């Protein structure tokens, strides 16, 4: 789960009204990639499906929505160059995010990779 020290400042800034990957999301749940996302969406997708969620975020932003992703920092990937580079705002996170273990909320699990926040927002000079 996203730690509050990462989520709360973003929520204050963007006032999220939808999360396609809530903490209770499990394989087999309704497909967030087929759903209509909110006008201000926060998404911390599973690492195994980041490329799919980045593409969906790009598509949703073209409908005039603000989409904020917390994803692994993988600037060498095809999806980064196709959907993010020069198309969205990128905020690199210093250090490793320590995610909340949903089964043991008092225990934090460091991310296996660096993380970044990607903001798709109409009117910021990136998404259209």
């Amino acid at each position: 789960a996203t730690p509050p020290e990462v989520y709360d400042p973003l929520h204050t800034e963007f006032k999220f009204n939808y999360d396609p990957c809530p903490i209770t999301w499990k394989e087999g749940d309704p497909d967030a990639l087929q759903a209509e996302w909110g006008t201000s969406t926060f998404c911390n997708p599973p690492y195994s499906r980041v490329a799919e969620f980045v593409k969906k975020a790009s598509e949703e932003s073209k409908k005039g929505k603000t989409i904020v992703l917390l994803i692994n920092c993988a600037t060498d990937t095809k999806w980064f160059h196709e959907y993010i580079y020069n198309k969205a705002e990128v905020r690199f996170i210093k250090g490793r995010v320590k995610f909340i273990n949903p089964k043991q909320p008092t225990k934090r699990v460091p991310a296996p990779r660096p993380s970044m926040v990607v903001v798709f927002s109409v009117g910021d000079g990136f998404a259209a």
Side-chain angles (χ1 to χ4, degrees):
T2 306
E5 61 270 17
V6 174
Y7 178 82
D8 291 349
L10 294 170
H11 179 59
T12 298
E13 181 178 355
F14 295 103
K15 312 224 180 334
F16 300 123
N17 59 21
Y18 186 70
D19 182 348
C21 298
I23 192 169
T24 57
W25 185 84
K26 302 181 274 318
E27 291 292 332
D29 280 355
D31 192 347
L33 296 170
Q34 301 302 316
E36 186 74 18
W37 288 8
T39 56
S40 184
T41 294
F42 174 79
C43 182
N44 176 7
Y47 280 169
S48 63
R49 300 184 73 189
V50 168
E52 296 169 88
F53 279 90
V54 167
K55 180 180 180 196
K56 174 71 171 176
S58 174
E59 292 167 355
E60 289 291 313
S61 74
K62 291 175 183 167
K63 298 176 186 177
K65 301 174 182 182
T66 297
I67 312 296
V68 179
L69 301 175
L70 174 61
I71 57 176
N72 57 306
C73 186
T75 59
D76 59 335
T77 61
K78 181 178 177 183
W79 54 259
F80 179 82
H81 287 273
E82 192 168 326
Y83 297 107
I84 297 173
Y85 187 65
N86 288 329
K87 298 176 178 94
E89 177 188 352
V90 178
R91 301 177 184 181
F92 295 104
I93 297 176
K94 182 179 180 180
R96 298 286 170 105
V97 173
K98 290 186 174 88
F99 291 102
I100 298 168
N101 182 335
K103 294 179 183 173
Q104 296 176 315
T106 58
K107 185 174 182 183
R108 296 288 183 105
V109 180
R113 304 179 185 107
S115 300
M116 62 184 170
V117 171
V118 177
V119 180
F120 291 94
S121 181
V122 173
D124 65 5
F126 293 102

